[in-house]
Amino acid sequence: GSEMCIRDRSYGARSKEVSRPDYYAIPLLRYGILAEMTATNRVGLHRYTFPKAHDAAIVFDLENGGCWDSPVETFMKADGDKRIVGYRHSTGWAKNQKVYFAAEFSKPFETFELKGKNDMYGRASFKTGDGEQILLKVAVSPVSIEGAVANLEAEMPDFDFDGTCVAADKSWNEELAKIRVESTDGDKLKKFYTSLYHTMIMPTTFSDVDGSYRGADGEVYKSDAPQYTNLSLWDTYRAEMPLLSIFQPDRSTEIVNSMVEIAERQGRLPVWHLWGNETDCMVGNPGVIAVADAIVKGQDGIDRDKAYRALLKTADDTIRGGGLRQQYGFIPCDKFNSAIAFDMEYALSLIHI
């Protein structure tokens, strides 16, 4: 469908690609369609400009995923003549990934048909005039179809593509403007603010608008504070996490509290959390460093006792070579793969009791 077309370089005119924090666009050459996208926090908004066609279609693909991800159970159905709802449960890097979705078109579809292996493709068909635009808003939830619908209705009640772009642009500029640099070299400014933008892509909001989220133990919980996922901590504990504590202190506190919440559910602080799943990607205990940094800095809004208990429990864990380190004082290389890398990272996150 549209996602596959955009991913495949043979379909998109890369020389005409437009990419901004608030907007993405690319002509899909094979189909003569212009694909544009913008978003709110939990909802993506697509706009497709079609040629005249009697068999125009937008296809939902629940089979293919990235990072060696494969579907375990999928479902989708039409809810009226404008809305599609469903879910995709999969395994891969995230062992138990449950994504629920609600998608709504700006124009009624002529037909909606399930296709392919185990009905994992849904084809919404339209008749289009030359230059006709069809918009599609898509919300996801880690909890339920109802949660996805609620996210959709709360964050994007209409199909105002340009207005959504303006709001997203304003939101990004407010955050980027918190750090001001000056230079006569436009390329250097572009590199700096692009890099700063990259620091705010992840971690990402995981909880629904009503506070519901799927915990690290697979159960559903509700929280008044935002919960986060995509915690790539080995990549971020050195620089991004400390940087966020400086120019996004409130969000930084929310992220740290979310990490402590994860520790409550899975028994230790996260290493690399993806959609509520611990992947254990990379070495050491980077979550310890990020949480300890927030405690030492005295960030407001953190339950220090609860956070400290999470630190100690994580540091005392015996998995991932921790038990060997406790037994020998180091990790023997003949007993554990990547022993030196793990040992060095554990030394960085050592907690003195």
Side-chain angles (χ1 to χ4, degrees), residues 258-270 310 313-314:
S258 185
M259 291 170 60
V260 174
E261 177 71 11
I262 289 170
E264 290 280 303
R265 307 301 176 196
Q266 70 177 24
R268 57 193 171 101
L269 286 167
K313 194 169 185 178
T314 305

Side-chain angles (χ1 to χ4, degrees), residues 282-313:
M282 303 307 294
V283 297
N285 273 331
V288 166
I289 300 168
V291 173
D293 182 61
I295 292 175
V296 169
K297 287 176 177 174
Q299 287 181 221
D300 292 335
I302 294 174
D303 185 330
R304 293 168 63 89
D305 291 337
K306 186 176 179 180
Y308 194 58
R309 287 195 300 270
L311 290 173
L312 294 179
K313 194 169 185 178

Side-chain angles (χ1 to χ4, degrees), residues 74-113:
T74 63
F75 167 80
M76 63 179 144
K77 69 174 184 178
D79 181 11
D81 61 0
K82 285 187 176 182
R83 181 177 289 180
I84 308 299
V85 297
Y87 59 78
R88 182 178 189 269
H89 298 173
S90 64
T91 188
W93 191 9
K95 299 299 182 186
N96 185 26
Q97 184 166 284
K98 295 182 177 181
V99 181
Y100 300 85
F101 71 90
E104 189 170 313
F105 294 97
S106 59
K107 173 183 178 175
F109 41 78
E110 300 283 330
T111 59
F112 181 74
E113 302 171 280

Side-chain angles (χ1 to χ4, degrees), residues 195-339:
S195 298
L196 187 61
Y197 159 71
H198 286 157
T199 69
M200 292 182 278
I201 294 174
M202 299 186 342
T204 48
T205 304
F206 190 46
S207 47
D208 288 341
V209 289
D210 70 348
S212 297
Y213 68 99
R214 192 170 297 277
D217 56 2
E219 300 298 319
V220 175
Y221 299 93
K222 185 174 285 189
S223 172
D224 293 333
Q227 299 298 309
Y228 289 84
T229 191
N230 291 334
L231 291 154
S232 170
L233 290 160
W234 186 85
D235 305 292
T236 60
Y237 79 79
R238 303 168 184 82
E240 180 183 320
M241 294 294 284
L243 177 65
L244 295 181
S245 74
I246 296 170
F247 86 102
Q248 284 193 329
D250 293 341
R251 180 165 173 263
S252 172
T253 293
E254 291 174 351
I255 292 170
V256 169
N257 284 338
S258 185
M259 291 170 60
V260 174
E261 177 71 11
I262 289 170
E264 290 280 303
R265 307 301 176 196
Q266 70 177 24
R268 57 193 171 101
L269 286 167
V271 177
W272 209 126
H273 242 247
L274 174 63
W275 202 255
N277 288 243
E278 182 58 74
T279 69
D280 276 324
C281 184
M282 303 307 294
V283 297
N285 273 331
V288 166
I289 300 168
V291 173
D293 182 61
I295 292 175
V296 169
K297 287 176 177 174
Q299 287 181 221
D300 292 335
I302 294 174
D303 185 330
R304 293 168 63 89
D305 291 337
K306 186 176 179 180
Y308 194 58
R309 287 195 300 270
L311 290 173
L312 294 179
K313 194 169 185 178
T314 305
D316 199 37
D317 207 338
T318 58
I319 66 170
R320 291 164 49 87
L324 291 170
R325 199 169 200 274
Q326 292 170 20
Q327 181 179 353
Y328 296 99
F330 64 95
I331 302 177
C333 63
D334 60 345
K335 297 181 182 295
F336 194 81
N337 289 333
S338 304

Side-chain angles (χ1 to χ4, degrees), residues 44-61:
L45 181 58
H46 305 216
R47 182 167 66 187
Y48 299 105
T49 304
F50 283 90
K52 184 176 181 179
H54 290 286
D55 59 348
I58 295 174
V59 177
F60 293 76
D61 173 6

